[in-house]
Amino acid sequence: MNTRKTSPAAALATAAIDAIVEGRHGDPFAVLGLHEAAGTLVLRAFVPGADSVDAVTPDGDLLAHLGRRHAGGFFEGALPRRTAYRLRAANRDGTWTVDDAYAYGPVLGPIDDWLVGEGTHVKLYDRLGAHPIDHEGSAGVHFAVWAPNARRVSVVGDFNGWDGRRHAMRKRVGTGVWEIFVPALGAGTIYKYEIIGADGALLPLKADPVGFRAELRPSTASIVCDTANFAWSDGEWMAARARQAPWRAPMSIYEVHLGSWRRGDGNRWLSYDELADTLVPYAVDLGFTHLELMPVNEHPLDASWGYQPIGLFAPTSRHGEPAGFARFVDRCHRAGLGVIVDWVPAHFPVDPHGLARFDGTALYEHEDPRQGFHPDWSTAVFNFGRREVVNYLMASALFWLDRYHVDGLRVDAVASMLYLDYSRKAGEWLPNRFGGNENLEAVAFLREMNKAVYGRHPGAVTIAEESTAWPAVSRPTDVGGLGFGFKWNMGWMHDTLEYVKLQPVHRRWHHNQMTFGMVYAFSENFVLPLSHDEVVHGKGSLLARVPGDAWQQFATLRAYYAFMWAYPGKKLLFMGQEFAQGREWNFDAGLDWSSLDVDWHRGVQALVRDCNRLYRSQRALHERDCEADGFRWVAVDDADSSVFAWLRLPGDGAPPLVAIANFTPVLREGYRTGLPLPGRWREVLNTDAALYGGSNHGNAGGVDAHPGESHGHPNFANITLPPLATVWLVHDGDA
């Protein structure tokens, strides 16, 4: 019970009453509720629209009549004793009961103030946002929001007629956090924050920065939601994940935009549960180890694909409630499928209901547009030098791992975070304190974020989309790295796609585009990404960029996929490319599933399934993805034939694997290939097999390696290389 002592003069001051009625009072808890004044218990209430107000017991017995002090709805009266109470209001239209929010003390305490103040509240989401709780004997919702420069903050919604005077919040002066407990509310309550800025201006209504659920666009309010009590059944998965070393485990990622993987009747979005019923078994059947979901954070613009999020704690409502997303992750785990989500801490949109100038000042962003505005995306850049902002982002990262059990975060646009001059011309950016272009505060944040993720969630991974030569992105922070587990290999992706775009007759002059990647292949822990970025903005699909007739296009794509799956690094393939969709990706429609009526498309899908199966079962293909000792060239310089051959080597006696790719339409029989071991080498994959739509040339039954030096190895075999094809052979023992 709030019983702050005030003097009778202060309690009765007309100016204070006017400020309450006009919504200008910065500390309504000093006026409203139950107070002791000159030895008398005085109850003051603001009930707009009431002609009379009584204080009653929870059972409805009269405690006192309150006199009206202001026609706008301010009432005051003496209570005979300290007790729980409710307000019974009446006017000519009837009588109603009010549960007075100003009867309750604060929920947050000194420890919260301490942690928020120093920016180390790693479970900030447990304290800020809207939480259904029991407080001082009543059920209701606790609201808390950071707005240090505001004059007044109120929570508004249908429950109070969107009247910001009704539930003005208490400010915790040391931290700038405003809070209020509103009794009788619960999950499903729609709300926003009404804020008066430091200059006295009323701001656009703001969604909750730590909101856990949001209305479906174009509506923008937050919705009270309990995310702490999902029923999980993935304990076995989580325990196994904690024991795993991700860099030595198979990781084949199916990247998905949930809104356009498949559509329902009338082109509607599928729900999280429908996606669990369809997407999960599909990815499992194809042998992928992980789904990577393009951002599931709430976002206002469909065309941003989620990369301009408003709600860093809310799964998008496009597919249903947060509990549905939790069930989706749980279903993935029970099916043996990991879940990685794309996470965007680099920037945010400037929509008026979002974070931009949240309390009337540049709170989450920089004031100076040379630091706080991103020219590429017309978005605001987070101020990584502000401890509260870093705390907010850190809590968001941990939230998805904690509350939703996701297995990793793919951090978007890391390069834009690292460089102060990213996409800026001279004079459009400010150097750091040493005069350089490195964003030192962002670097410090990324290191701390990665340390927190790996320290608190064993087996989880972080993956950087970083496209520059920044050193040691995926190296530990204690040796100067950024601490990510993996980094997208953008150089490999660019070089190899440029190669396969060439006519076969020209590839001999660009041989190094397929081999150069090995110069730096082990400088980082790499993921090889054929992502959504490669099939949008006029680039066409992967199939469409390959030259030649249909036979050559499909054959080249199959050879390229097998080249990729045998190349060191974890794998990522964007949806639709597993069956060679012909058109460019369209975020506003489902994939072209009818393509699977055509044999060639089914053949590519079958190949991806077999590549994944072998990648997981052949230890040589995944155990040393990130170690130089797991790779050795066999034929690296046969540019005239456009042939590449290399070995993948496991660490402890498991059979090695040789991959040989022929990127010309020429059948090469008896191609002499050096091998480390004599005996039988079994052909386990041939992209020219009839099963996949090929011409069925190859090495049925395998080949025998005989003593004789070749390509730096003591043995050799004569191998048939089908046209525009890649073959894999595994050592199968002595002949």
Side-chain angles (χ1 to χ4, degrees):
M1 192 74 67
N2 178 29
T3 58
R4 181 185 300 180
K5 291 187 177 182
T6 57
S7 69
L12 300 173
T14 300
I17 295 173
D18 289 343
I20 291 291
V21 173
E22 295 168 9
R24 295 183 288 101
H25 205 292
D27 187 11
F29 280 85
V31 176
L32 300 174
L34 189 61
H35 297 265
E36 187 177 324
T40 301
L41 288 174
V42 178
L43 177 61
R44 305 185 192 92
F46 177 56
V47 188
D51 293 331
S52 65
V53 173
D54 295 332
V56 299
T57 67
D59 294 329
D61 297 331
L62 181 67
L63 289 170
H65 297 292
L66 305 186
R68 186 161 69 175
R69 291 290 310 276
H70 193 291
F74 190 94
F75 296 84
E76 180 182 53
L79 255 61
R81 64 186 184 277
R82 190 181 305 279
T83 185
Y85 69 89
R86 303 179 79 192
L87 302 173
R88 186 167 60 204
N91 60 21
R92 62 183 181 181
D93 295 322
T95 302
W96 68 97
T97 301
V98 177
D99 291 290
D100 187 12
Y102 297 97
Y104 298 87
V107 173
L108 303 179
I111 293 178
D112 297 303
D113 292 340
W114 177 273
L115 295 175
V116 170
E118 68 177 13
T120 57
H121 212 316
V122 292
K123 289 201 171 184
L124 191 69
Y125 50 85
D126 276 342
R127 310 306 281 162
L128 300 190
H131 297 271
I133 62 170
D134 290 325
H135 181 54
E136 295 181 357
S138 297
V141 175
H142 176 244
F143 299 90
V145 63
W146 180 58
N149 303 304
R151 287 191 184 181
R152 190 255 291 168
V153 180
S154 303
V155 61
V156 295
D158 292 337
F159 58 91
N160 61 13
W162 298 89
D163 185 346
R165 303 172 302 163
R166 298 274 298 275
H167 289 99
M169 303 170 79
R170 171 193 283 113
K171 184 177 185 180
R172 304 186 71 83
V173 177
T175 62
V177 171
W178 300 72
E179 68 164 325
I180 192 170
F181 173 76
V182 182
L185 298 185
T189 299
I190 295 173
Y191 71 100
K192 279 189 174 181
Y193 293 114
E194 182 180 281
I195 299 174
I196 294 178
D199 61 357
L202 182 65
L203 302 175
L205 293 180
K206 295 288 189 177
D208 193 340
V210 191
F212 304 121
R213 183 183 171 195
E215 290 185 297
L216 177 63
R217 60 101 178 101
S219 298
T220 57
S222 301
I223 303 174
V224 176
C225 178
D226 181 5
T227 64
N229 295 301
F230 297 133
W232 293 95
S233 58
D234 64 347
E236 184 176 343
W237 168 274
M238 297 296 283
R241 189 189 80 181
R243 297 189 297 266
Q244 190 179 68
W247 55 91
R248 281 186 165 269
M251 181 182 290
S252 182
I253 303 167
Y254 186 50
E255 187 193 23
V256 175
H257 177 257
L258 291 179
S260 58
W261 178 72
R262 191 187 291 273
R263 291 287 183 110
D265 297 338
N267 203 37
R268 66 173 177 83
W269 294 303
L270 297 184
S271 70
Y272 290 120
D273 289 312
E274 288 174 314
L275 287 162
D277 289 339
T278 53
L279 172 58
V280 172
Y282 178 78
V284 169
D285 174 66
L286 289 184
F288 288 99
T289 65
H290 291 75
L291 292 177
E292 180 176 319
L293 308 180
M294 292 168 67
V296 295
N297 302 101
E298 195 57 78
H299 54 284
L301 180 65
D302 294 356
S304 78
W305 316 329
Y307 290 106
Q308 293 191 15
I310 287 287
L312 288 182
F313 295 81
T316 178
S317 56
R318 290 165 175 80
H319 308 290
E321 299 181 6
F325 180 68
R327 289 192 297 272
F328 174 83
V329 176
D330 197 52
R331 289 277 294 277
C332 287
H333 287 175
R334 284 189 285 136
L337 197 61
V339 179
I340 299 166
V341 297
D342 282 11
W343 182 62
V344 189
H347 62 120
F348 58 90
V350 294
D351 298 62
H353 68 286
L355 298 180
R357 304 197 72 82
F358 187 79
D359 64 358
T361 68
L363 189 62
Y364 289 89
E365 68 271 41
H366 292 271
E367 184 70 50
D368 192 323
R370 291 174 295 178
Q371 297 172 288
F373 185 76
H374 203 293
D376 280 0
W377 305 306
S378 297
T379 52
V381 178
F382 281 106
N383 183 351
F384 301 107
R386 186 161 194 168
R387 62 182 180 274
E388 296 95 341
V389 174
V390 167
N391 194 170
Y392 172 78
L393 294 171
M394 187 86 72
S396 171
L398 295 172
F399 173 81
W400 294 95
L401 297 159
D402 180 14
R403 291 291 170 86
Y404 290 110
H405 289 199
V406 303
D407 303 287
L409 303 173
R410 201 279 297 190
V411 183
D412 182 63
V414 170
S416 76
M417 300 170 67
L418 296 176
Y419 297 99
L420 296 166
D421 60 346
Y422 186 90
S423 287
R424 289 180 166 87
K425 300 175 184 176
E428 295 179 348
W429 61 283
L430 297 178
N432 62 37
R433 63 181 181 271
F434 301 114
N437 67 342
E438 303 89 355
N439 190 332
L440 303 178
E441 290 82 10
V443 170
F445 159 68
L446 290 171
R447 286 173 172 161
E448 290 303 312
M449 181 275 296
N450 281 314
K451 285 196 292 186
V453 167
Y454 284 99
R456 293 175 175 272
H457 294 278
V461 298
T462 59
I463 304 170
E465 184 203 20
E466 204 287 313
S467 55
T468 75
W470 189 281
V473 170
S474 59
R475 294 294 178 258
T477 59
D478 57 5
V479 296
L482 292 183
F484 284 94
F486 296 94
K487 171 182 171 175
W488 274 16
N489 194 335
M490 309 294 276
W492 175 91
M493 174 275 299
H494 179 270
D495 287 348
T496 58
L497 285 180
E498 287 298 307
Y499 179 87
V500 297
K501 283 170 58 177
L502 297 168
Q503 291 287 346
V505 69
H506 299 308
R507 288 174 182 159
R508 62 185 299 185
W509 309 111
H510 300 267
H511 198 74
N512 66 310
Q513 288 185 297
M514 297 293 268
T515 61
F516 179 71
M518 288 310 304
V519 172
Y520 59 85
F522 305 106
S523 62
E524 302 277 4
N525 299 333
F526 279 123
V527 173
L528 309 180
L530 297 178
S531 75
H532 66 277
D533 281 329
E534 311 321 314
V535 292
V536 291
H537 303 317
K539 297 175 186 174
S541 67
L542 297 183
L543 180 70
R545 71 184 61 189
V546 178
D549 59 22
W551 189 93
Q552 290 179 318
Q553 286 182 303
F554 279 93
T556 302
L557 188 64
R558 294 193 304 266
Y560 179 58
Y561 282 173
F563 178 96
M564 169 182 170
W565 255 258
Y567 193 94
K570 308 308 180 185
K571 324 302 174 189
L572 180 142
L573 189 66
F574 182 58
M575 64 182 198
Q577 308 317 302
E578 79 279 7
F579 59 80
Q581 176 165 290
R583 66 168 172 85
E584 185 174 276
W585 171 52
N586 174 13
F587 73 91
D588 211 21
L591 298 177
D592 291 343
W593 294 102
S594 61
S595 298
L596 289 170
D597 294 336
V598 178
D599 288 344
W600 277 341
H601 290 279
R602 286 199 306 274
V604 173
Q605 186 188 59
L607 173 72
V608 169
R609 181 185 292 110
D610 285 348
C611 283
N612 277 329
R613 174 180 56 82
L614 290 164
Y615 172 67
R616 297 174 74 159
S617 64
Q618 295 293 325
R619 291 166 49 196
L621 287 175
H622 64 256
E623 279 191 347
R624 305 175 83 182
D625 265 332
C626 305
E627 302 170 33
D629 289 346
F631 176 91
R632 185 174 175 184
W633 281 116
V634 175
V636 66
D637 56 0
D638 191 359
D640 288 342
S641 301
S642 296
V643 169
F644 309 85
W646 65 96
L647 285 163
R648 296 299 307 276
L649 304 166
D652 60 356
L657 179 146
V658 64
I660 313 170
N662 173 18
F663 281 100
T664 67
V666 177
L667 172 64
R668 303 185 187 281
E669 296 180 310
Y671 188 89
R672 184 180 174 110
T673 304
L675 293 170
L677 298 173
R680 175 68 54 153
W681 287 73
R682 177 168 47 93
E683 186 178 81
V684 294
L685 186 79
N686 178 351
T687 66
D688 191 51
L691 169 66
Y692 308 135
S695 57
N696 218 32
H697 294 285
N699 305 273
V703 299
D704 291 322
H706 305 284
E709 194 278 336
S710 183
H711 297 98
H713 292 278
N715 306 282
F716 75 94
N718 294 316
I719 298 173
T720 296
L721 300 186
L724 294 175
T726 298
V727 297
W728 298 353
L729 298 103
V730 173
H731 187 253
D732 206 19
D734 294 335

